[in-house]
Amino acid sequence: MGILTDVLKNMFKKPFTIDYPKKKSKISVHFRGKIHVDRKKCIGCYLCQMNCPTGAIVVNKKTKKAEVDLGLCILCSMCAEVCPVKCIYFTNEYENQVRAKNKLKPRKR
Amino acid sequence: MHKTCLFPIGPQHPSLKEPLFLKLYVDGTTVKDAVFDLGYAHRGVEEKLEGKQVDTALHAVQRTCGICSQCHTMAFLRTVEGFAEVEIPDRVALQRVIVAELERIHSHLLWAGVMMHELGLDTLFMYFMREREKILDVFDELTGNRVHHSSDLVGTSKRTFSEENLQFALSTLDSIKENLISYRKTVDSHDVIRDRCIGKGLITKKDAKTFGLVGPVARACNINNDVRVNSPYMGYKMLKLNSIMRTEGDAHARTLVRLDEVFESMNLVEQACNQIPKGSVVPKYPVKRIAQGYGVGASEAPRGENFHFVKVVNGKTARVKLRTPTLANLIMFPEAVKGADITDVPVIVMSLDPCISCMERVAVVKDGKSEVWTSHELFKGEKK
Ligand code: SF4
Ligand code: SF4
C-alpha cells in the first residue's frame, strides 16, 4: 500500500530528471572536469609525469611543457597536487565525449 | 532417476550486469548442482599497481571498483599508514569516514534498486535510483567527483570540507530519510517481495562460518564480522556504531540487513559531521614519503571485508594484493542455489551482491594442481 500512495503522489510532481541537452545539470565548483595545463607557467619539471598513475601526462622533450593525453587521464588530480607552480587545473567541463579520436590529443605509443 | 541437463547462464546474458558464467545442472526446473566460471573480466589490476609511488598507487587502487572506491582507499591507507606509522589528525580520519559511509549508502541503494528490478518491481528500482542520485551530488560537492572520489593522500586529504559542505550532506540525508523509511516498509511487507525472497537462497550459520562469508551476507546469518566494529580504524574509533544482524539467512534477510545498514550509515555520517573539530584544516601534502615496509590491512566495504597486502621497496610498490569481498561470498553460490527453482536463481545471485570485475585474479587450476603462467603465456593463451 505504501508504494501506491507514493506512486500517486509522484504523478503530480515535476519530473526528477532534467531535459538534458537543453538544460545542463548543476555541478559543484570543486568538480574535476576536463584537465587543463597552463603552458605559460609550466617549467617542465617532470614531477607530474613521475606521479601520474596512468602515464597520461608527459613532458614534451622538445618544448619542455607538459601535455595530457585526455583518453588516458582518469582525472585523479595527483598531478595538480604535486605540481610546484600549480599550473594544472580542472575545468568544470563534464561533456568530454568526442567524435574523432584525435580531439583527445593522443600520443603515439 | 532423471538425468540432469546443463543450463548455462552467461558469460553474456541480459540478466547479468557483468560477465560471469553460471552452469546450472537442472532436473526439470530444480537446480541439482551449480558451478561458476570466472575470468571474463580480468583487468590485471594487481600488475598495474606494481612499481608505482605510494600516492600514485593509491589513486590507481581506487579504480578497482566503481561502486566502492573509497573502501579501497581506506584499506590501502590503513595498510601503508600502519606500517609507516603515519599519524592522521581527527579531521582527516572523520572526513574519510564520511565519504566511506556515504559510499555505503549509495552502494546499498544501487543494490536495492537492482534487486527490485530483478524481482520485477521497476517502480521501486526508479525510486531507489532517485535517492541515490542525491548522494552522488553530495560526493560531487565534497570530493569533486561523483564516482571515483580520489579525495585522500597518505596522511592527509586533498581538501578541507567546509561547514557548508557538511551541512549540505546532512540536509540531503535528511531529505531522503523519510522516503527510504517508506521503501523499507514496502520491502518488508510487499507480497511479491516476500514470496520471492523468504526462504530463498538459505545459508545456515554453520555454512557461513565454514565458507568464511563476509559482509551483509554473513550478518544476515547472525555472524558479526563487521571490520568497523571488530577492529575499528581511522574515524570509526571515535564513533558509536551498531552492527545490523538478522538470524534468518535468506535473501529477504540480506535485503533488510542492507537497507537497515543505510540508516546506520546515515547515523554515522551525522555523528562524524558533528565531531569534526571546527576550524581545523588538513595537513599539507606530502606528510611523509614511504620508502620501505610491508603490511596488511582491512576495511569494511559495502559488500564485506576488503583486504589489502602492500609491500613497498625503495619508495615503489613491489606487490599489492587485493582480496575483494565478492570473492569470499560468491563461493557460497553453488550451495545457495542447490535445490532452488530455476526462476529463483537471479534473485539468489543478486542477493549475494556480486561485483565481478573487482575480484577477478587469474587462477589456472588443472587436475587439482595449480600452475604458474607468465604474462607472455597468458597473453598468448597457451603454456609452453
Ligand atoms: S609538474 Fe607542473 S611545472 Fe612540472 S612539468 Fe608538470 S605541469 Fe609542468
Ligand atoms: S589527473 Fe591523474 S591521470 Fe590525469 S594527468 Fe593528472 S595524474 Fe595523470
Side-chain angles (χ1 to χ4, degrees):
Chain A
M1 200 57 216
I3 196 85
L4 198 62
T5 45
D6 247 6
V7 171
L8 288 174
K9 255 192 242 160
N10 280 300
M11 276 173 77
F12 301 102
K13 268 190 195 158
K14 268 200 309 196
F16 180 74
T17 47
I18 55 164
D19 200 4
Y20 165 58
K22 288 180 199 153
K23 257 196 206 161
K24 295 279 159 69
S25 69
K26 221 177 78 207
I27 47 170
S28 123
V29 282
H30 313 296
F31 184 74
R32 291 197 296 274
K34 195 172 180 176
I35 185 169
H36 188 84
V37 182
D38 190 341
R39 291 171 62 94
K40 278 197 196 119
K41 270 170 129 191
C42 174
I43 52 171
C45 67
Y46 287 88
L47 267 180
C48 52
Q49 182 177 338
M50 272 153 57
N51 280 285
C52 177
T54 59
I57 193 161
V58 167
V59 177
N60 191 321
K61 287 221 176 76
K62 277 191 203 132
T63 60
K64 294 278 180 219
K65 304 281 173 194
E67 287 170 2
V68 186
D69 181 342
L70 294 175
L72 279 178
C73 178
I74 54 176
L75 303 173
C76 65
S77 83
M78 190 62 208
C79 49
E81 212 60 47
V82 293
C83 179
V85 292
K86 299 279 174 239
C87 68
I88 303 173
Y89 54 90
F90 294 88
T91 56
N92 259 0
E93 226 175 293
Y94 60 90
E95 292 153 312
N96 293 333
Q97 28 325 45
V98 288
R99 290 197 175 225
K101 221 175 173 181
N102 59 10
K103 289 209 175 128
L104 296 171
K105 304 184 208 149
R107 261 193 313 281
K108 283 209 184 75
R109 264 173 273 150
Chain B
M1 166 93 188
H2 291 290
K3 256 191 173 166
T4 56
C5 78
L6 172 68
F7 185 91
I9 301 181
Q12 299 211 351
H13 191 271
S15 85
L16 291 172
K17 310 289 172 287
E18 286 176 280
L20 167 71
F21 192 10
L22 306 174
K23 295 176 192 163
L24 306 174
Y25 295 92
V26 293
D27 175 9
T29 59
T30 316
V31 180
K32 290 285 173 208
D33 203 358
V35 185
F36 64 89
D37 211 351
L38 298 171
Y40 298 95
H42 176 63
R43 297 173 300 170
V45 182
E46 290 177 350
E47 196 272 331
K48 281 276 174 220
L49 287 170
E50 284 167 14
K52 288 197 166 29
Q53 296 185 22
V54 176
D55 274 312
T56 309
L58 172 68
H59 286 86
V61 81
Q62 293 166 8
R63 265 75 186 169
T64 309
C65 186
I67 305 175
C68 40
S69 96
Q70 181 72 6
C71 81
H72 283 285
T73 315
M74 300 278 262
F76 190 88
L77 284 176
R78 189 185 184 188
T79 313
V80 295
E81 286 171 358
F83 71 68
E85 288 166 3
V86 182
E87 284 284 324
I88 54 168
D90 285 0
R91 176 165 203 111
V92 176
L94 288 167
Q95 279 193 190
R96 286 178 188 169
V97 165
I98 291 174
V99 178
E101 289 307 311
L102 284 170
E103 191 179 72
R104 191 179 316 277
I105 298 173
H106 117 79
S107 167
H108 283 344
L109 291 183
L110 173 76
W111 173 85
V114 177
M115 179 80 174
M116 293 306 130
H117 168 74
E118 218 63 67
L119 292 167
L121 299 162
D122 274 341
T123 313
L124 265 180
F125 166 68
M126 292 292 177
Y127 283 177
F128 276 121
M129 291 311 244
R130 180 180 67 187
E131 309 308 338
R132 170 179 174 263
E133 191 62 29
K134 294 177 187 162
I135 303 282
L136 293 188
D137 287 343
V138 178
F139 281 136
D140 187 355
E141 194 68 41
L142 292 182
T143 66
N145 219 334
R146 294 164 70 82
V147 178
H148 291 300
H149 318 302
S150 308
S151 59
D152 294 300
L153 294 158
V154 175
T156 177
S157 286
K158 277 189 188 148
R159 60 178 290 267
T160 309
F161 295 168
S162 69
E163 206 53 37
E164 293 89 69
N165 291 158
L166 298 179
Q167 281 310 322
F168 178 62
L170 288 179
S171 63
T172 309
L173 289 186
D174 263 354
S175 72
I176 68 171
K177 198 167 200 169
E178 201 182 319
N179 282 348
L180 287 179
I181 289 173
S182 104
Y183 304 157
R184 193 210 171 276
K185 225 185 262 166
T186 310
V187 169
D188 201 7
S189 61
H190 198 287
D191 288 340
V192 173
I193 300 174
R194 287 180 77 87
D195 283 354
R196 289 206 61 190
C197 290
I198 289 184
K200 302 287 154 53
L202 204 65
I203 300 172
T204 60
K205 187 173 179 180
K206 192 166 152 251
D207 271 355
K209 270 203 175 141
T210 322
F211 286 86
L213 302 190
V214 293
V217 180
R219 287 197 283 278
C221 311
N222 206 8
I223 296 175
N224 188 4
N225 58 0
D226 196 329
V227 184
R228 296 172 295 167
V229 177
N230 296 345
S231 68
Y233 51 99
M234 298 182 194
Y236 292 114
K237 286 178 194 157
M238 291 170 246
L239 308 176
K240 250 205 232 97
L241 118 114
N242 308 317
S243 307
I244 310 292
M245 312 242 281
R246 289 187 85 85
T247 47
E248 296 94 331
D250 57 3
H252 195 242
R254 295 198 273 278
T255 312
L256 291 181
V257 165
R258 289 199 179 95
L259 288 179
D260 286 341
E261 272 183 12
V262 170
F263 297 111
E264 190 57 40
S265 293
M266 285 183 178
N267 184 4
L268 281 176
V269 174
E270 261 163 46
Q271 283 184 42
C273 286
N274 293 333
Q275 284 195 26
I276 284 194
K278 293 225 163 50
S280 57
V281 288
V282 298
K284 249 188 115 202
Y285 172 81
V287 175
K288 187 174 182 181
R289 297 244 181 250
I290 294 167
Q292 291 290 353
Y294 63 92
V296 295
S299 73
E300 182 74 14
R303 286 164 189 73
E305 183 198 39
N306 175 29
F307 174 87
H308 281 207
F309 165 78
V310 184
K311 184 175 180 190
V312 182
V313 178
N314 298 333
K316 302 248 164 124
T317 50
R319 173 90 174 103
V320 181
K321 163 93 189 105
L322 320 173
R323 198 200 70 163
T324 51
T326 305
L327 188 63
N329 283 341
L330 204 66
I331 291 169
M332 198 63 215
F333 163 74
E335 288 298 315
V337 295
K338 234 172 248 178
D341 200 81
I342 203 159
T343 49
D344 291 331
V345 172
V347 175
I348 296 172
V349 176
M350 222 26 243
S351 74
L352 296 176
D353 201 359
C355 183
I356 308 299
S357 47
C358 312
M359 67 167 212
E360 296 245 330
R361 320 275 174 263
V362 164
V364 184
V365 180
K366 269 186 187 165
D367 319 325
K369 284 181 197 151
S370 61
E371 287 181 11
V372 178
W373 285 41
T374 62
S375 58
H376 186 68
E377 284 163 353
L378 267 178
F379 185 67
K380 287 196 118 185
E382 58 185 45
K383 190 154 174 75
K384 272 182 205 142

